[in-house]
């Protein structure tokens, strides 16, 4: 065991010393003594961990004692920088055979958001929240949750061990764990220096096994480094399976585009009938009935937000509701053109105000537009889609006239005063203190925040439109598809100028709001704009010329032209 030693193999301990061949025997005896009485922090990728030593060389060795135990293994979880999908299958299995503390590097960088857990249990299964149960202190008795089959090292003299589960959890307390929207009562203990780990139980079809749950979050851990989670698990006869769990219900989707199960659109700027089947992955893939789901785009061609703000992502989505079978159908036209690295299209679950459980969709051909006839089923979809596309063509036509021909815009300065919770608006033309926006025109807006008249920073404004028209979802009826609600928004710091074009029209009104948020994104004030939804040119705006807006307006016009052709030929 003393060959192939790597210099980076390091023990961590409060005692520091070097090993040389001349002192090998005495140090070996000392290590045997320490290993019998200490839990040792070993940085290794697999268990059991070992340090190999080459004769004739000296090595830096660091040993650290955390607790005296013969039956429990400690795990410090650090981030390996990789993403992890929300799934009901384990992402890792590990054998824990030695009572030592080890550091492991787990994926999950994308889920370090305050709503996810790591979970471990000595059983491999497709996880179902329906099999999770509350735990009480009576479950810690001999032949209970920690039985002799799974944990033979505690038997036959279970109560004689000073670190048996009953004693180990005796300092614990009842606490609640939210898994996929279901609340469970478990027994929590605090791991050094402050990680909370909760014990629940899981029914595996024949008996109950322990389920250990620990939050995924940045924290100080037992090795005095920042880690993302910690566990203390009893040595078991079977491998531990590790899962990622969420406090929120997690939904997955089967997507059917024009009747074919796929997550790929073949061509941008053409209409597709998209049927979505939603199901809860932590609940045995049960249909997700009567929930709000969305199909959305990031940085797509968005009439309401017709310019790009570098570093900030615009979002547009269409919201529908699943039926009793967990299904909903949309008419979708991807709008990516020209190709963009920041563009995304997805289907997701709208849980409250949060878009969660995203499933990425793809557009195969996006570098050129095709002017072809595109069949839709049922045929009645054509009529409403034509009406929607015609309305949007008129809006984009007037946006072109305002920005490229007349080079004029409406201009607004909006101020929110914290001390009086009041809003003031100045504009050109002068609308008497109103935030009066115009459909089809570029509306230039700047929002500031003051406190007792002094400008303050680190505030945000969310600009959003509800209703109106959306190129990605050219459908504004309730026959033959159920009606959809359209949302468009962007979140930026206050003090930054932005341009919006309301898409409100008499046949499909919209509401435009400016939400003022503090540095923690708490809502302070909602400002609702008035909208003039007539499509005409009102002289008297401020001079405005923006080459980027002209380019984007031209691209949106080409996308709408492709859509128009496909629906009318």
């Amino acid at each position: 065991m003393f060959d192939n030693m790597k210099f980076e193999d390091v023990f961590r301990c409060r005692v520091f010393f070097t090993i040389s061949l001349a002192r090998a025997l005495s140090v070996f005896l000392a290590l045997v003594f320490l290993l019998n009485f200490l839990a040792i922090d070993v940085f290794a990728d697999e268990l059991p961990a070992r340090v190999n030593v080459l004769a004739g060389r000296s090595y830096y060795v660091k040993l650290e004692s955390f607790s005296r135990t013969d039956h429990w293994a400690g795990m410090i979880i650090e981030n390996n920088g990789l993403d992890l999908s929300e799934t009901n299958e384990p992402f890792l299995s590990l054998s824990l055979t030695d009572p030592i503390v080890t550091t492991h590097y787990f994926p999950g960088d994308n889920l370090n958001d305050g709503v996810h857990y790591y979970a471990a249990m000595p059983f491999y299964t497709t996880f179902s929240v329906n099999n999770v149960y509350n735990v009480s202190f009576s479950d810690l008795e001999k032949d209970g949750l920690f039985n002799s089959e799974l944990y033979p090292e505690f038997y036959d003299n279970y109560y004689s061990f000073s670190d048996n589960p009953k004693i180990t959890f005796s300092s614990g307390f009842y606490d609640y764990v939210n898994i996929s929207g279901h609340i469970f009562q478990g027994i929590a203990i605090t791991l050094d220096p402050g990680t909370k780990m909760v014990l629940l139980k899981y029914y595996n079809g024949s008996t109950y096994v322990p389920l250990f749950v620990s939050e995924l979050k940045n924290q100080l851990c037992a090795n005095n480094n920042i880690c993302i989670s910690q566990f203390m698990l009893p040595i078991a006869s079977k491998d531990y399976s590790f899962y990622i769990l969420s406090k929120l219900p997690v939904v997955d989707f089967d997507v059917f585009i024009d009747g074919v199960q796929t997550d790929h659109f073949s061509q941008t700027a053409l209409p597709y009938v998209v049927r979505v089947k939603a199901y809860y992955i932590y609940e045995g893939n049960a249909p997700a009935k009567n929930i709000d789901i969305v199909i959305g785009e990031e940085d797509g061609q968005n009439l309401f937000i017709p310019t790009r703000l570098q570093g900030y992502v615009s979002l547009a989505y269409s919201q529908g509701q699943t039926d009793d079978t967990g299904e909903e159908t949309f008419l979708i036209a991807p709008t990516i053109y020209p190709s963009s690295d920041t563009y995304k299209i997805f289907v997701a679950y709208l849980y409250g105000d949060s878009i969660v459980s995203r499933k990425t969709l793809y557009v195969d051909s996006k570098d050129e537009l095709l002017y072809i006839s595109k069949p839709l089923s049922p045929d009645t979809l054509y009529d409403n889609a034509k009406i929607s596309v015609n309305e949007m063509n008129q809006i984009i036509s007037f946006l072109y006239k305002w920005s490229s021909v007349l080079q004029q815009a409406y201009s607004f300065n909006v101020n929110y005063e914290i001390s009086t919770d009041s809003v003031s608006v100045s504009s050109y033309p002068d609308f008497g203190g109103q935030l009066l926006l115009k459909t089809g025109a570029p509306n230039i807006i700047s929002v500031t925040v003051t406190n007792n008249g002094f400008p303050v920073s680190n505030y945000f404004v969310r600009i959003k439109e509800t209703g109106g028209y959306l190129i990605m979802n050219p459908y504004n009826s309730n026959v033959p598809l159920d009606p959809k609600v359209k949302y468009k928004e962007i979140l930026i710091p206050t003090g930054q100028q932005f341009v919006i074009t309301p898409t409100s029209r008499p046949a499909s009104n919209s509401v435009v709001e400016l939400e003022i948020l503090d540095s923690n994104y708490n809502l302070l004030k909602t400002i609702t704009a008035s909208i003039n939804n007539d499509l005409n040119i009102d002289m008297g705006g401020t001079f405005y010329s923006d080459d980027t807006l002209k380019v984007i307006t031209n691209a949106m016009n080409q996308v709408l032209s492709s859509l128009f052709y496909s629906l009318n030929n």
Side-chain angles (χ1 to χ4, degrees), residues 299-311:
D299 281 347
Q301 297 295 0
N302 185 339
L303 272 172
F304 175 65
I305 307 171
T307 59
R308 303 284 188 269
L309 293 174
Q310 189 171 4

Side-chain angles (χ1 to χ4, degrees), residues 293-330:
I293 64 171
V294 303
I295 294 182
E297 288 183 316
E298 291 184 357
D299 281 347
Q301 297 295 0
N302 185 339
L303 272 172
F304 175 65
I305 307 171
T307 59
R308 303 284 188 269
L309 293 174
Q310 189 171 4
Y312 302 98
V313 175
S314 69
L315 173 66
Y317 57 93
S318 176
Q319 175 192 332
Q321 188 176 77
T322 60
D323 59 19
D324 287 341
T325 67
E327 296 188 11
E328 174 62 300
T329 303
F330 299 78

Side-chain angles (χ1 to χ4, degrees), residues 34-182:
L34 285 169
L35 285 167
N36 284 331
F37 289 93
L38 300 179
I40 300 174
D41 180 9
V42 182
F43 285 71
D45 290 331
E46 297 180 350
L47 288 175
R50 66 176 183 174
V51 173
N52 299 322
V53 180
L54 283 177
R57 297 180 62 182
S58 297
Y59 295 93
Y60 173 75
V61 177
K62 185 181 179 185
L63 302 174
E64 183 162 8
S65 169
F66 286 94
S67 63
R68 179 176 178 177
T69 178
D70 292 325
H71 300 98
W72 296 79
M75 294 181 65
I76 297 172
I77 312 300
E78 294 190 7
N79 178 13
N80 68 4
L82 299 178
D83 288 352
L84 184 62
S85 298
E86 291 182 301
T87 174
N88 52 5
E89 299 294 334
F91 66 88
L92 179 70
S93 291
L94 282 177
S95 174
L96 299 180
T97 58
D98 290 322
I100 55 179
V101 179
T102 57
T103 296
H104 295 262
Y105 298 89
F106 278 12
D109 186 53
N110 58 315
L111 302 179
N112 190 352
D113 53 13
V115 299
H116 285 88
Y117 309 98
Y118 288 123
M121 61 178 170
F123 181 70
Y124 186 100
T125 188
T126 298
F127 185 91
S128 172
V129 72
N130 299 324
N131 292 338
V132 179
Y133 290 87
N134 299 335
V135 161
S136 67
F137 282 98
S138 62
D139 289 305
L140 306 179
E141 300 292 345
K142 181 181 178 182
D143 298 320
L145 193 56
F146 296 86
N147 58 62
S148 60
E149 180 182 356
L150 282 176
Y151 300 103
E153 298 222 6
F154 285 121
Y155 289 84
D156 288 329
N157 300 310
Y158 182 86
Y159 292 113
S160 67
F161 292 111
S162 61
D163 61 351
N164 71 56
K166 181 177 181 178
I167 294 176
T168 300
F169 282 90
S170 63
S171 61
F173 53 93
Y174 284 122
D175 199 12
Y176 295 96
V177 177
N178 182 352
I179 301 176
S180 192
H182 299 263

